[in-house]
């Protein structure tokens, strides 16, 4: 990641939000990564970046998408230090991001995808109380499943500061949920061990402690933050709680499988890219392109 820590005062915040949202929306629509939006927002104004995220999500909902949950990002302490923050971030999950039922993950919908294995919590109760603690959050979880989050960035070469990723819906892409539903009485999230295989080769491993020390702590942070934003977590929503290990690149045609102790496994095969679809970088071969994610973002979630 480049040196982006110069201060910036945004005089016309409404214009900055509109222009940043338009840039990110165009990148998603045209499937062509864009320049970072921190030139419009500054590198540290997280509240302004969330305003962009809300604009982007609001436009998608207005076009027919439906909110089905949230995702938590930046749960790794090393990545937090790198981008100069002391807390995670979050994004919104929409119904068209859930590709669990598809025979293959549609590679043509993605720009620079990476996959990470996570615990997904499915809520059975609202989390809108004034006093939220770990026990309250735990009691609201209906069950958990193994999950694969396919993170993606509309920003070229993953050249992101905190404002870029927050504005870009926390670098959300798609997600796949496992089919084995497990209650919290049957396993302890922080003790889960994970191994992620790419085309049969071990590519990533980790455990629940990698996610803010405990995925339930990440869920508590999100519940409190969502409530503060005036949009609390609701029964039926899915929460992707954060990566249990490093990110893995997912070129078209690859198959990834995550195995998690106590939760079973979840598998996703990425479709070959349709040869008639334009490549995000027409001057390069997507199968031979090096991993553009900077080293410090190999554990984005």
């Amino acid at each position: 990641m480049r040196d982006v820590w110069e201060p910036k005062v945004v005089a016309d915040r409404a214009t900055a939000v509109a222009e940043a949202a338009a840039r990110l929306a165009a990148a998603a629509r045209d499937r062509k990564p864009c320049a970072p939006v921190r030139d419009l927002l500054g590198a540290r104004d997280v509240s302004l970046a969330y305003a962009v995220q809300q604009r982007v999500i609001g436009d998608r909902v207005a076009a027919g998408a439906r909110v089905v949950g949230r995702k938590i990002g930046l749960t790794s302490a090393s990545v937090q230090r790198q981008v100069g923050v002391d807390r995670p971030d979050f994004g919104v999950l929409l119904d068209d991001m859930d590709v669990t039922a598809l025979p293959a993950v549609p590679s043509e919908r993605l720009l620079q995808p990476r996959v990470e294995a996570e615990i997904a919590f499915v809520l059975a109760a609202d989390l809108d109380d004034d006093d939220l603690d770990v026990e309250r959050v735990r009691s609201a979880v209906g069950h958990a499943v193994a999950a694969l989050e396919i993170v993606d960035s509309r920003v070229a070469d993953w050249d992101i500061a905190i404002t870029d990723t927050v504005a870009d819906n926390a670098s959300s892409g798609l997600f796949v949920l496992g089919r084995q539903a497990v209650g919290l009485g049957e396993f302890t999230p922080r003790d889960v061990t994970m191994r992620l295989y790419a085309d049969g080769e071990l590519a990533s491993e980790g455990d629940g402690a990698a996610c803010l020390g405990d995925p339930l702590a990440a869920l508590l942070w999100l519940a409190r933050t969502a409530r503060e934003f005036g949009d609390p977590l609701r029964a039926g929503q899915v929460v992707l709680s954060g990566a249990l290990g490093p990110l893995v690149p997912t070129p078209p045609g690859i198959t990834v499988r995550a195995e998690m102790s106590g939760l079973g496994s979840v598998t996703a095969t990425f479709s070959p890219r349709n040869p008639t679809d334009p490549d995000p970088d027409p001057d390069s071969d997507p199968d031979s392109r090096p991993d553009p994610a900077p080293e410090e973002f190999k554990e984005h979630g």
Side-chain angles (χ1 to χ4, degrees), residues 133-218:
D133 57 21
V134 171
E135 287 308 312
R136 175 70 187 91
V137 165
R138 182 183 181 90
S139 69
V141 174
H143 63 269
V145 297
L148 295 171
E149 183 188 357
I150 300 118
V151 297
D152 200 9
S153 181
R154 271 50 63 179
V155 176
D157 299 325
W158 282 89
D159 177 18
I160 55 178
I162 182 63
T163 48
D164 297 302
T165 186
V166 168
D168 191 23
N169 197 27
S171 302
S172 298
L174 307 172
F175 64 95
V176 178
L177 301 178
R179 302 192 182 280
Q180 181 176 338
V182 183
L184 291 184
E186 302 173 64
F187 82 111
T188 302
R190 68 172 175 271
D191 293 339
V192 167
T193 57
M194 178 279 297
R195 288 191 172 190
L196 179 65
Y197 298 86
D199 283 343
E201 298 291 330
L202 181 63
S204 176
E205 56 187 327
D207 55 39
C211 179
L212 285 186
D214 185 340
L216 286 174

Side-chain angles (χ1 to χ4, degrees), residues 46-47 50 53 69-76 80 85-92 118 121 123 127-138 141 162 165-166 169-170 211-233 239-242 300-301:
V46 176
S47 63
Y50 275 118
Q53 181 187 124
R70 310 288 175 85
K71 61 141 306 176
I72 310 172
L74 296 175
T75 53
S76 162
Q80 288 183 14
V85 298
D86 59 0
R87 63 177 184 170
D89 68 353
F90 72 87
V92 178
E118 307 189 11
F121 296 113
L123 301 181
L127 283 170
D128 54 359
D129 302 347
D130 290 335
D131 296 319
L132 291 173
D133 57 21
V134 171
E135 287 308 312
R136 175 70 187 91
V137 165
R138 182 183 181 90
V141 174
I162 182 63
T165 186
V166 168
N169 197 27
C211 179
L212 285 186
D214 185 340
L216 286 174
L219 178 58
L220 174 60
W221 173 85
L222 176 62
R224 289 172 171 170
T225 303
R227 185 192 59 197
E228 290 169 3
F229 270 75
D231 189 14
L233 300 178
V239 175
L240 301 178
S241 60
H300 174 269

